[in-house]
mmCIF file of all heavy atoms in Angstrom:
data_model
loop_
_atom_site.group_PDB
_atom_site.id
_atom_site.type_symbol
_atom_site.label_atom_id
_atom_site.label_comp_id
_atom_site.label_asym_id
_atom_site.label_seq_id
_atom_site.Cartn_x
_atom_site.Cartn_y
_atom_site.Cartn_z
ATOM 1 N N MET A 1 3.055 -7.816 -2.659
ATOM 2 C CA MET A 1 1.695 -8.091 -2.199
ATOM 3 C C MET A 1 0.945 -8.810 -3.307
ATOM 4 O O MET A 1 1.095 -8.478 -4.481
ATOM 5 C CB MET A 1 0.938 -6.798 -1.891
ATOM 6 C CG MET A 1 1.472 -5.990 -0.775
ATOM 7 S SD MET A 1 0.461 -4.481 -0.677
ATOM 8 C CE MET A 1 0.771 -4.030 1.000
ATOM 9 N N ILE A 2 0.121 -9.757 -2.910
ATOM 10 C CA ILE A 2 -0.785 -10.437 -3.840
ATOM 11 C C ILE A 2 -2.156 -10.359 -3.196
ATOM 12 O O ILE A 2 -2.396 -10.953 -2.139
ATOM 13 C CB ILE A 2 -0.344 -11.888 -4.108
ATOM 14 C CG1 ILE A 2 1.057 -11.867 -4.734
ATOM 15 C CG2 ILE A 2 -1.356 -12.589 -5.005
ATOM 16 C CD1 ILE A 2 1.675 -13.223 -4.945
ATOM 17 N N LEU A 3 -3.025 -9.587 -3.832
ATOM 18 C CA LEU A 3 -4.316 -9.251 -3.234
ATOM 19 C C LEU A 3 -5.442 -9.985 -3.933
ATOM 20 O O LEU A 3 -5.542 -9.963 -5.160
ATOM 21 C CB LEU A 3 -4.530 -7.742 -3.315
ATOM 22 C CG LEU A 3 -3.386 -6.917 -2.712
ATOM 23 C CD1 LEU A 3 -3.609 -5.441 -2.962
ATOM 24 C CD2 LEU A 3 -3.255 -7.202 -1.230
ATOM 25 N N ALA A 4 -6.297 -10.598 -3.145
ATOM 26 C CA ALA A 4 -7.431 -11.357 -3.661
ATOM 27 C C ALA A 4 -8.717 -10.559 -3.472
ATOM 28 O O ALA A 4 -8.818 -9.727 -2.568
ATOM 29 C CB ALA A 4 -7.536 -12.702 -2.944
ATOM 30 N N MET A 5 -9.684 -10.852 -4.297
ATOM 31 C CA MET A 5 -10.966 -10.155 -4.230
ATOM 32 C C MET A 5 -11.952 -10.820 -3.274
ATOM 33 O O MET A 5 -12.853 -10.160 -2.774
ATOM 34 C CB MET A 5 -11.606 -10.093 -5.622
ATOM 35 C CG MET A 5 -10.798 -9.300 -6.604
ATOM 36 S SD MET A 5 -10.697 -7.578 -6.122
ATOM 37 C CE MET A 5 -9.340 -7.041 -7.117
ATOM 38 N N ASP A 6 -11.783 -12.124 -3.047
ATOM 39 C CA ASP A 6 -12.726 -12.822 -2.171
ATOM 40 C C ASP A 6 -12.040 -14.011 -1.499
ATOM 41 O O ASP A 6 -10.887 -14.328 -1.786
ATOM 42 C CB ASP A 6 -13.982 -13.253 -2.931
ATOM 43 C CG ASP A 6 -13.698 -14.200 -4.090
ATOM 44 O OD1 ASP A 6 -12.763 -15.023 -4.001
ATOM 45 O OD2 ASP A 6 -14.411 -14.128 -5.096
ATOM 46 N N TRP A 7 -12.770 -14.627 -0.579
ATOM 47 C CA TRP A 7 -12.213 -15.729 0.214
ATOM 48 C C TRP A 7 -11.829 -16.925 -0.639
ATOM 49 O O TRP A 7 -10.811 -17.572 -0.378
ATOM 50 C CB TRP A 7 -13.205 -16.170 1.292
ATOM 51 C CG TRP A 7 -13.495 -15.102 2.300
ATOM 52 C CD1 TRP A 7 -14.666 -14.407 2.450
ATOM 53 C CD2 TRP A 7 -12.598 -14.587 3.300
ATOM 54 N NE1 TRP A 7 -14.540 -13.494 3.477
ATOM 55 C CE2 TRP A 7 -13.291 -13.582 4.019
ATOM 56 C CE3 TRP A 7 -11.279 -14.868 3.638
ATOM 57 C CZ2 TRP A 7 -12.706 -12.882 5.057
ATOM 58 C CZ3 TRP A 7 -10.698 -14.158 4.680
ATOM 59 C CH2 TRP A 7 -11.407 -13.191 5.376
ATOM 60 N N ASP A 8 -12.633 -17.252 -1.661
ATOM 61 C CA ASP A 8 -12.330 -18.410 -2.514
ATOM 62 C C ASP A 8 -10.998 -18.220 -3.242
ATOM 63 O O ASP A 8 -10.173 -19.134 -3.299
ATOM 64 C CB ASP A 8 -13.441 -18.643 -3.540
ATOM 65 C CG ASP A 8 -14.725 -19.153 -2.906
ATOM 66 O OD1 ASP A 8 -14.664 -19.737 -1.802
ATOM 67 O OD2 ASP A 8 -15.793 -18.962 -3.528
ATOM 68 N N ASN A 9 -10.804 -17.036 -3.799
ATOM 69 C CA ASN A 9 -9.552 -16.772 -4.508
ATOM 70 C C ASN A 9 -8.377 -16.695 -3.547
ATOM 71 O O ASN A 9 -7.283 -17.163 -3.866
ATOM 72 C CB ASN A 9 -9.669 -15.495 -5.348
ATOM 73 C CG ASN A 9 -10.490 -15.736 -6.583
ATOM 74 O OD1 ASN A 9 -10.110 -16.522 -7.435
ATOM 75 N ND2 ASN A 9 -11.625 -15.074 -6.682
ATOM 76 N N LEU A 10 -8.588 -16.145 -2.368
ATOM 77 C CA LEU A 10 -7.523 -16.122 -1.367
ATOM 78 C C LEU A 10 -7.127 -17.552 -0.997
ATOM 79 O O LEU A 10 -5.938 -17.874 -0.910
ATOM 80 C CB LEU A 10 -7.951 -15.337 -0.130
ATOM 81 C CG LEU A 10 -6.905 -15.216 0.973
ATOM 82 C CD1 LEU A 10 -5.649 -14.498 0.481
ATOM 83 C CD2 LEU A 10 -7.496 -14.496 2.180
ATOM 84 N N SER A 11 -8.095 -18.402 -0.813
ATOM 85 C CA SER A 11 -7.817 -19.801 -0.482
ATOM 86 C C SER A 11 -7.029 -20.500 -1.594
ATOM 87 O O SER A 11 -6.069 -21.228 -1.322
ATOM 88 C CB SER A 11 -9.126 -20.545 -0.223
ATOM 89 O OG SER A 11 -8.882 -21.905 0.038
ATOM 90 N N LEU A 12 -7.410 -20.266 -2.837
ATOM 91 C CA LEU A 12 -6.682 -20.853 -3.964
ATOM 92 C C LEU A 12 -5.244 -20.350 -4.010
ATOM 93 O O LEU A 12 -4.313 -21.119 -4.261
ATOM 94 C CB LEU A 12 -7.392 -20.535 -5.278
ATOM 95 C CG LEU A 12 -8.693 -21.280 -5.510
ATOM 96 C CD1 LEU A 12 -9.462 -20.673 -6.678
ATOM 97 C CD2 LEU A 12 -8.436 -22.758 -5.758
ATOM 98 N N LEU A 13 -5.053 -19.065 -3.752
ATOM 99 C CA LEU A 13 -3.698 -18.507 -3.733
ATOM 100 C C LEU A 13 -2.881 -19.106 -2.592
ATOM 101 O O LEU A 13 -1.693 -19.403 -2.758
ATOM 102 C CB LEU A 13 -3.753 -16.985 -3.603
ATOM 103 C CG LEU A 13 -4.263 -16.246 -4.839
ATOM 104 C CD1 LEU A 13 -4.601 -14.799 -4.497
ATOM 105 C CD2 LEU A 13 -3.252 -16.324 -5.976
ATOM 106 N N GLN A 14 -3.504 -19.301 -1.444
ATOM 107 C CA GLN A 14 -2.807 -19.907 -0.305
ATOM 108 C C GLN A 14 -2.373 -21.329 -0.624
ATOM 109 O O GLN A 14 -1.296 -21.761 -0.210
ATOM 110 C CB GLN A 14 -3.705 -19.887 0.935
ATOM 111 C CG GLN A 14 -3.881 -18.496 1.491
ATOM 112 C CD GLN A 14 -4.986 -18.405 2.533
ATOM 113 O OE1 GLN A 14 -5.919 -19.205 2.555
ATOM 114 N NE2 GLN A 14 -4.892 -17.411 3.407
ATOM 115 N N GLN A 15 -3.185 -22.053 -1.385
ATOM 116 C CA GLN A 15 -2.837 -23.417 -1.772
ATOM 117 C C GLN A 15 -1.679 -23.433 -2.769
ATOM 118 O O GLN A 15 -0.871 -24.362 -2.769
ATOM 119 C CB GLN A 15 -4.055 -24.114 -2.376
ATOM 120 C CG GLN A 15 -5.161 -24.377 -1.378
ATOM 121 C CD GLN A 15 -6.441 -24.820 -2.058
ATOM 122 O OE1 GLN A 15 -6.407 -25.524 -3.067
ATOM 123 N NE2 GLN A 15 -7.569 -24.405 -1.518
ATOM 124 N N GLN A 16 -1.593 -22.425 -3.612
ATOM 125 C CA GLN A 16 -0.561 -22.374 -4.644
ATOM 126 C C GLN A 16 0.756 -21.789 -4.150
ATOM 127 O O GLN A 16 1.818 -22.122 -4.667
ATOM 128 C CB GLN A 16 -1.039 -21.510 -5.821
ATOM 129 C CG GLN A 16 -2.208 -22.060 -6.570
ATOM 130 C CD GLN A 16 -2.724 -21.070 -7.608
ATOM 131 O OE1 GLN A 16 -1.970 -20.267 -8.147
ATOM 132 N NE2 GLN A 16 -4.011 -21.118 -7.881
ATOM 133 N N SER A 17 0.687 -20.915 -3.169
ATOM 134 C CA SER A 17 1.866 -20.172 -2.732
ATOM 135 C C SER A 17 2.806 -21.012 -1.875
ATOM 136 O O SER A 17 2.367 -21.695 -0.948
ATOM 137 C CB SER A 17 1.424 -18.952 -1.918
ATOM 138 O OG SER A 17 2.529 -18.291 -1.357
ATOM 139 N N PRO A 18 4.107 -20.930 -2.145
ATOM 140 C CA PRO A 18 5.074 -21.529 -1.224
ATOM 141 C C PRO A 18 4.937 -20.877 0.157
ATOM 142 O O PRO A 18 4.600 -19.695 0.261
ATOM 143 C CB PRO A 18 6.426 -21.193 -1.859
ATOM 144 C CG PRO A 18 6.128 -20.958 -3.310
ATOM 145 C CD PRO A 18 4.766 -20.338 -3.322
ATOM 146 N N LYS A 19 5.203 -21.630 1.197
ATOM 147 C CA LYS A 19 5.030 -21.136 2.574
ATOM 148 C C LYS A 19 5.761 -19.828 2.840
ATOM 149 O O LYS A 19 5.247 -18.956 3.535
ATOM 150 C CB LYS A 19 5.473 -22.196 3.576
ATOM 151 C CG LYS A 19 4.485 -23.327 3.748
ATOM 152 C CD LYS A 19 4.772 -24.082 5.021
ATOM 153 C CE LYS A 19 3.942 -25.328 5.134
ATOM 154 N NZ LYS A 19 2.538 -25.147 5.324
ATOM 155 N N GLN A 20 6.959 -19.658 2.297
ATOM 156 C CA GLN A 20 7.734 -18.457 2.603
ATOM 157 C C GLN A 20 7.118 -17.183 2.021
ATOM 158 O O GLN A 20 7.538 -16.087 2.377
ATOM 159 C CB GLN A 20 9.195 -18.594 2.158
ATOM 160 C CG GLN A 20 9.433 -18.546 0.664
ATOM 161 C CD GLN A 20 9.580 -19.907 0.041
ATOM 162 O OE1 GLN A 20 8.961 -20.881 0.458
ATOM 163 N NE2 GLN A 20 10.409 -19.997 -0.982
ATOM 164 N N TYR A 21 6.112 -17.311 1.163
ATOM 165 C CA TYR A 21 5.467 -16.133 0.574
ATOM 166 C C TYR A 21 4.024 -15.938 1.026
ATOM 167 O O TYR A 21 3.352 -15.011 0.581
ATOM 168 C CB TYR A 21 5.524 -16.200 -0.954
ATOM 169 C CG TYR A 21 6.930 -16.324 -1.488
ATOM 170 C CD1 TYR A 21 7.296 -17.372 -2.312
ATOM 171 C CD2 TYR A 21 7.907 -15.387 -1.147
ATOM 172 C CE1 TYR A 21 8.583 -17.491 -2.797
ATOM 173 C CE2 TYR A 21 9.203 -15.499 -1.622
ATOM 174 C CZ TYR A 21 9.530 -16.561 -2.448
ATOM 175 O OH TYR A 21 10.819 -16.665 -2.916
ATOM 176 N N GLN A 22 3.553 -16.777 1.920
ATOM 177 C CA GLN A 22 2.162 -16.695 2.374
ATOM 178 C C GLN A 22 1.816 -15.343 2.990
ATOM 179 O O GLN A 22 0.693 -14.882 2.891
ATOM 180 C CB GLN A 22 1.877 -17.804 3.400
ATOM 181 C CG GLN A 22 1.956 -19.204 2.853
ATOM 182 C CD GLN A 22 0.646 -19.699 2.299
ATOM 183 O OE1 GLN A 22 -0.408 -19.390 2.828
ATOM 184 N NE2 GLN A 22 0.714 -20.483 1.243
ATOM 185 N N HIS A 23 2.795 -14.695 3.610
ATOM 186 C CA HIS A 23 2.551 -13.397 4.249
ATOM 187 C C HIS A 23 2.177 -12.300 3.246
ATOM 188 O O HIS A 23 1.644 -11.263 3.630
ATOM 189 C CB HIS A 23 3.781 -12.956 5.053
ATOM 190 C CG HIS A 23 4.971 -12.651 4.200
ATOM 191 N ND1 HIS A 23 5.772 -13.642 3.672
ATOM 192 C CD2 HIS A 23 5.468 -11.473 3.754
ATOM 193 C CE1 HIS A 23 6.732 -13.074 2.942
ATOM 194 N NE2 HIS A 23 6.569 -11.762 2.973
ATOM 195 N N LYS A 24 2.412 -12.526 1.976
ATOM 196 C CA LYS A 24 2.100 -11.541 0.940
ATOM 197 C C LYS A 24 0.638 -11.590 0.501
ATOM 198 O O LYS A 24 0.180 -10.691 -0.193
ATOM 199 C CB LYS A 24 2.973 -11.786 -0.292
ATOM 200 C CG LYS A 24 4.462 -11.626 -0.050
ATOM 201 C CD LYS A 24 5.214 -11.898 -1.323
ATOM 202 C CE LYS A 24 6.707 -11.707 -1.148
ATOM 203 N NZ LYS A 24 7.413 -11.799 -2.443
ATOM 204 N N LEU A 25 -0.073 -12.615 0.888
ATOM 205 C CA LEU A 25 -1.445 -12.837 0.439
ATOM 206 C C LEU A 25 -2.439 -12.150 1.367
ATOM 207 O O LEU A 25 -2.413 -12.358 2.573
ATOM 208 C CB LEU A 25 -1.744 -14.333 0.380
ATOM 209 C CG LEU A 25 -0.758 -15.199 -0.409
ATOM 210 C CD1 LEU A 25 -1.137 -16.659 -0.282
ATOM 211 C CD2 LEU A 25 -0.704 -14.773 -1.860
ATOM 212 N N MET A 26 -3.324 -11.333 0.784
ATOM 213 C CA MET A 26 -4.318 -10.593 1.564
ATOM 214 C C MET A 26 -5.547 -10.335 0.704
ATOM 215 O O MET A 26 -5.483 -10.412 -0.516
ATOM 216 C CB MET A 26 -3.766 -9.231 1.980
ATOM 217 C CG MET A 26 -2.568 -9.237 2.865
ATOM 218 S SD MET A 26 -1.893 -7.573 2.985
ATOM 219 C CE MET A 26 -0.311 -7.864 2.188
ATOM 220 N N LEU A 27 -6.621 -9.961 1.367
ATOM 221 C CA LEU A 27 -7.797 -9.480 0.656
ATOM 222 C C LEU A 27 -7.621 -7.990 0.363
ATOM 223 O O LEU A 27 -7.173 -7.230 1.229
ATOM 224 C CB LEU A 27 -9.057 -9.669 1.507
ATOM 225 C CG LEU A 27 -9.524 -11.105 1.720
ATOM 226 C CD1 LEU A 27 -10.616 -11.154 2.788
ATOM 227 C CD2 LEU A 27 -10.033 -11.702 0.403
ATOM 228 N N LEU A 28 -7.985 -7.563 -0.827
ATOM 229 C CA LEU A 28 -7.895 -6.147 -1.192
ATOM 230 C C LEU A 28 -8.689 -5.275 -0.224
ATOM 231 O O LEU A 28 -8.236 -4.198 0.174
ATOM 232 C CB LEU A 28 -8.398 -5.933 -2.623
ATOM 233 C CG LEU A 28 -8.485 -4.470 -3.086
ATOM 234 C CD1 LEU A 28 -7.097 -3.836 -3.143
ATOM 235 C CD2 LEU A 28 -9.179 -4.370 -4.433
ATOM 236 N N MET A 29 -9.866 -5.733 0.171
ATOM 237 C CA MET A 29 -10.747 -4.909 1.008
ATOM 238 C C MET A 29 -10.180 -4.663 2.398
ATOM 239 O O MET A 29 -10.706 -3.831 3.135
ATOM 240 C CB MET A 29 -12.141 -5.517 1.081
ATOM 241 C CG MET A 29 -12.941 -5.371 -0.200
ATOM 242 S SD MET A 29 -13.151 -3.657 -0.763
ATOM 243 C CE MET A 29 -14.299 -3.041 0.477
ATOM 244 N N ARG A 30 -9.115 -5.304 2.756
ATOM 245 C CA ARG A 30 -8.463 -5.037 4.038
ATOM 246 C C ARG A 30 -7.975 -3.589 4.098
ATOM 247 O O ARG A 30 -7.787 -3.030 5.166
ATOM 248 C CB ARG A 30 -7.329 -6.045 4.216
ATOM 249 C CG ARG A 30 -6.057 -5.512 4.715
ATOM 250 C CD ARG A 30 -4.966 -6.530 4.745
ATOM 251 N NE ARG A 30 -4.274 -6.350 6.001
ATOM 252 C CZ ARG A 30 -3.310 -7.083 6.439
ATOM 253 N NH1 ARG A 30 -2.905 -8.115 5.744
ATOM 254 N NH2 ARG A 30 -2.739 -6.845 7.571
ATOM 255 N N PHE A 31 -7.787 -2.966 2.936
ATOM 256 C CA PHE A 31 -7.292 -1.595 2.860
ATOM 257 C C PHE A 31 -8.409 -0.553 2.747
ATOM 258 O O PHE A 31 -8.130 0.639 2.683
ATOM 259 C CB PHE A 31 -6.320 -1.463 1.680
ATOM 260 C CG PHE A 31 -5.133 -2.354 1.820
ATOM 261 C CD1 PHE A 31 -5.090 -3.586 1.189
ATOM 262 C CD2 PHE A 31 -4.060 -1.985 2.620
ATOM 263 C CE1 PHE A 31 -4.000 -4.433 1.333
ATOM 264 C CE2 PHE A 31 -2.967 -2.822 2.775
ATOM 265 C CZ PHE A 31 -2.935 -4.047 2.136
ATOM 266 N N ALA A 32 -9.652 -1.001 2.697
ATOM 267 C CA ALA A 32 -10.789 -0.088 2.552
ATOM 268 C C ALA A 32 -10.991 0.734 3.821
ATOM 269 O O ALA A 32 -10.735 0.258 4.929
ATOM 270 C CB ALA A 32 -12.055 -0.870 2.230
ATOM 271 N N ASN A 33 -11.433 1.957 3.629
ATOM 272 C CA ASN A 33 -11.727 2.840 4.756
ATOM 273 C C ASN A 33 -13.208 3.152 4.875
ATOM 274 O O ASN A 33 -13.722 3.329 5.962
ATOM 275 C CB ASN A 33 -10.942 4.151 4.610
ATOM 276 C CG ASN A 33 -9.458 3.923 4.748
ATOM 277 O OD1 ASN A 33 -9.004 3.327 5.714
ATOM 278 N ND2 ASN A 33 -8.692 4.373 3.766
ATOM 279 N N GLU A 34 -13.899 3.226 3.751
ATOM 280 C CA GLU A 34 -15.308 3.607 3.740
ATOM 281 C C GLU A 34 -16.237 2.402 3.862
ATOM 282 O O GLU A 34 -17.231 2.449 4.566
ATOM 283 C CB GLU A 34 -15.614 4.373 2.456
ATOM 284 C CG GLU A 34 -17.012 4.924 2.392
ATOM 285 C CD GLU A 34 -17.239 5.727 1.125
ATOM 286 O OE1 GLU A 34 -16.281 6.337 0.616
ATOM 287 O OE2 GLU A 34 -18.382 5.738 0.652
ATOM 288 N N TYR A 35 -15.915 1.334 3.161
ATOM 289 C CA TYR A 35 -16.760 0.142 3.142
ATOM 290 C C TYR A 35 -16.231 -0.896 4.123
ATOM 291 O O TYR A 35 -15.029 -1.094 4.229
ATOM 292 C CB TYR A 35 -16.831 -0.454 1.730
ATOM 293 C CG TYR A 35 -17.536 0.453 0.753
ATOM 294 C CD1 TYR A 35 -16.811 1.292 -0.089
ATOM 295 C CD2 TYR A 35 -18.918 0.484 0.681
ATOM 296 C CE1 TYR A 35 -17.451 2.140 -0.982
ATOM 297 C CE2 TYR A 35 -19.569 1.332 -0.206
ATOM 298 C CZ TYR A 35 -18.829 2.154 -1.033
ATOM 299 O OH TYR A 35 -19.459 2.990 -1.908
ATOM 300 N N GLU A 36 -17.141 -1.565 4.788
ATOM 301 C CA GLU A 36 -16.747 -2.568 5.787
ATOM 302 C C GLU A 36 -16.763 -3.992 5.250
ATOM 303 O O GLU A 36 -16.384 -4.918 5.953
ATOM 304 C CB GLU A 36 -17.662 -2.464 7.005
ATOM 305 C CG GLU A 36 -17.499 -1.151 7.745
ATOM 306 C CD GLU A 36 -18.354 -1.061 8.996
ATOM 307 O OE1 GLU A 36 -18.903 -2.092 9.442
ATOM 308 O OE2 GLU A 36 -18.476 0.045 9.525
ATOM 309 N N GLU A 37 -17.196 -4.174 4.016
ATOM 310 C CA GLU A 37 -17.244 -5.515 3.440
ATOM 311 C C GLU A 37 -15.844 -6.104 3.390
ATOM 312 O O GLU A 37 -14.874 -5.401 3.155
ATOM 313 C CB GLU A 37 -17.842 -5.478 2.031
ATOM 314 C CG GLU A 37 -19.340 -5.301 1.995
ATOM 315 C CD GLU A 37 -19.810 -3.861 2.262
ATOM 316 O OE1 GLU A 37 -18.963 -2.979 2.499
ATOM 317 O OE2 GLU A 37 -21.015 -3.640 2.225
ATOM 318 N N ALA A 38 -15.768 -7.400 3.595
ATOM 319 C CA ALA A 38 -14.474 -8.077 3.581
ATOM 320 C C ALA A 38 -14.019 -8.413 2.172
ATOM 321 O O ALA A 38 -12.829 -8.554 1.920
ATOM 322 C CB ALA A 38 -14.547 -9.354 4.415
ATOM 323 N N THR A 39 -14.972 -8.534 1.249
ATOM 324 C CA THR A 39 -14.637 -8.973 -0.101
ATOM 325 C C THR A 39 -15.298 -8.087 -1.154
ATOM 326 O O THR A 39 -16.259 -7.379 -0.878
ATOM 327 C CB THR A 39 -15.079 -10.429 -0.338
ATOM 328 O OG1 THR A 39 -16.504 -10.506 -0.237
ATOM 329 C CG2 THR A 39 -14.419 -11.373 0.660
ATOM 330 N N VAL A 40 -14.774 -8.180 -2.377
ATOM 331 C CA VAL A 40 -15.360 -7.499 -3.527
ATOM 332 C C VAL A 40 -16.244 -8.527 -4.238
ATOM 333 O O VAL A 40 -15.752 -9.566 -4.670
ATOM 334 C CB VAL A 40 -14.262 -6.981 -4.491
ATOM 335 C CG1 VAL A 40 -14.888 -6.311 -5.712
ATOM 336 C CG2 VAL A 40 -13.310 -6.043 -3.770
ATOM 337 N N PRO A 41 -17.546 -8.259 -4.350
ATOM 338 C CA PRO A 41 -18.442 -9.247 -4.968
ATOM 339 C C PRO A 41 -18.176 -9.410 -6.466
ATOM 340 O O PRO A 41 -17.768 -8.464 -7.143
ATOM 341 C CB PRO A 41 -19.833 -8.662 -4.723
ATOM 342 C CG PRO A 41 -19.612 -7.190 -4.592
ATOM 343 C CD PRO A 41 -18.244 -7.033 -3.973
ATOM 344 N N ASP A 42 -18.403 -10.600 -6.969
ATOM 345 C CA ASP A 42 -18.212 -10.881 -8.393
ATOM 346 C C ASP A 42 -19.429 -10.354 -9.154
ATOM 347 O O ASP A 42 -20.541 -10.820 -8.936
ATOM 348 C CB ASP A 42 -18.070 -12.388 -8.602
ATOM 349 C CG ASP A 42 -17.692 -12.752 -10.020
ATOM 350 O OD1 ASP A 42 -17.707 -11.873 -10.906
ATOM 351 O OD2 ASP A 42 -17.381 -13.937 -10.258
ATOM 352 N N PRO A 43 -19.235 -9.405 -10.081
ATOM 353 C CA PRO A 43 -20.367 -8.827 -10.797
ATOM 354 C C PRO A 43 -20.750 -9.573 -12.081
ATOM 355 O O PRO A 43 -21.708 -9.202 -12.752
ATOM 356 C CB PRO A 43 -19.849 -7.430 -11.156
ATOM 357 C CG PRO A 43 -18.402 -7.681 -11.434
ATOM 358 C CD PRO A 43 -17.991 -8.715 -10.399
ATOM 359 N N TYR A 44 -20.024 -10.631 -12.405
ATOM 360 C CA TYR A 44 -20.128 -11.270 -13.717
ATOM 361 C C TYR A 44 -21.554 -11.670 -14.099
ATOM 362 O O TYR A 44 -21.972 -11.480 -15.236
ATOM 363 C CB TYR A 44 -19.203 -12.493 -13.774
ATOM 364 C CG TYR A 44 -19.102 -13.103 -15.145
ATOM 365 C CD1 TYR A 44 -18.334 -12.508 -16.133
ATOM 366 C CD2 TYR A 44 -19.775 -14.281 -15.459
ATOM 367 C CE1 TYR A 44 -18.233 -13.059 -17.407
ATOM 368 C CE2 TYR A 44 -19.683 -14.832 -16.721
ATOM 369 C CZ TYR A 44 -18.915 -14.225 -17.684
ATOM 370 O OH TYR A 44 -18.827 -14.773 -18.944
#
């Protein structure tokens, strides 16, 4: 699994990943149970 924190990083990973590994790319928040947000905000 390769988990991204937000849509921008997921998109960059999709551009870099060979097609046969695209199924491994997901957002981390897809596994959340309590929070409904799709992404983890950048706190920087």
